[in-house]
Amino acid sequence: MKGPGAGAALLMPHESGRGAALSIRLSAVIVTATIDEPRVLTVRIGRDPIEALPSGPLEVEHRTLEVGLRAWVERQTSQKLGYVEQLYTFGDRDRVEDARAGRALTVAYLALVREVRPGGAGEAAWQSWYRYFPWEDWRAGRAATLPPLEARLGAWARQAASETERRLRVERLGLAFARSWNEELVLERYELLYEAGLIQESWRDLGRPALPGDGLVFGVPMAADHRRVLATAIGRLRGKIKYRPVVFELMPPSFTLLQLQRTVEALSGVRLHQGLVEETGRISAETGGRPARLVRFRREVLLERPAPGLRLRAGRRVTVS
């Protein structure tokens, strides 16, 4: 396998007239879900043992970006991708793996799969996405990690250099951690933690010593900008399941209503209000209790309604002061 520095690079004009290398990288957020746990496929490549998303550079032999992405994913994880959509293009100058290598653009994709045992060259493993974002799981009520997180964020807001900046920080905290909890604002909450210097990535990007072991509160760090990419994907997927039936890409051909409910709740972090299914006429005895009726997704609903989805309802919310 070629190293992470191999691949396509463009020469872009620099402000001083010199050329600057612009590399294009491809990254995949590959999501699966068991009944109770949304999971993302991670890899460990090279000398750095930190967890990362499957990724690699766009290479000359890659006919399209998506072809390149699929090739890297299969090489690193042995996972063949089905449903794939382009997520976002990341190109912040101060958040690249190696600033000396020049400017890097990362084209990220979201893929939904049914879980299979990973393999490949990247020590691939499925991990719960709440391992990286423990404050996002509200299925049992207010996340236990929120009180210390809120306290630290509140202190950060009060330490602003000016009154205008203080008000702006308080306003952003109020929106991201409002009483009316918006489960889609995963990226906004992550960015606040990054700016407040509460997660390992922010210290690492500044070249400072790592934070003490706060992983249980502020999540497990990932390589480069990968936790930011993952936050973007989670927010996108949480929004999408409300108006498109993409959750059924993760479900087996037949399933119980309880399995559907718990899978969607696992993805959204809040409680499910409504589904879009019909009974199959069969039952399952694998539920551990009374036999349950099996259901399936009604694909006819795509013709009946322009934006079928799932309505979600959370419990009590959190306030950040």
Side-chain angles (χ1 to χ4, degrees), residues 306-319:
L310 298 155
R311 291 204 302 271
L312 306 172
R313 177 174 57 199
R316 295 185 63 185
R317 309 300 186 234
V318 61
T319 301

Side-chain angles (χ1 to χ4, degrees), residues 251-274:
M251 302 299 295
S254 59
F255 46 87
T256 69
L257 277 172
L258 179 60
Q259 289 171 333
L260 174 64
Q261 174 182 334
R262 288 169 62 180
T263 300
V264 174
E265 289 174 350
L267 293 168
S268 66
V270 296
R271 293 302 180 190
L272 175 67
H273 184 59
Q274 179 183 359

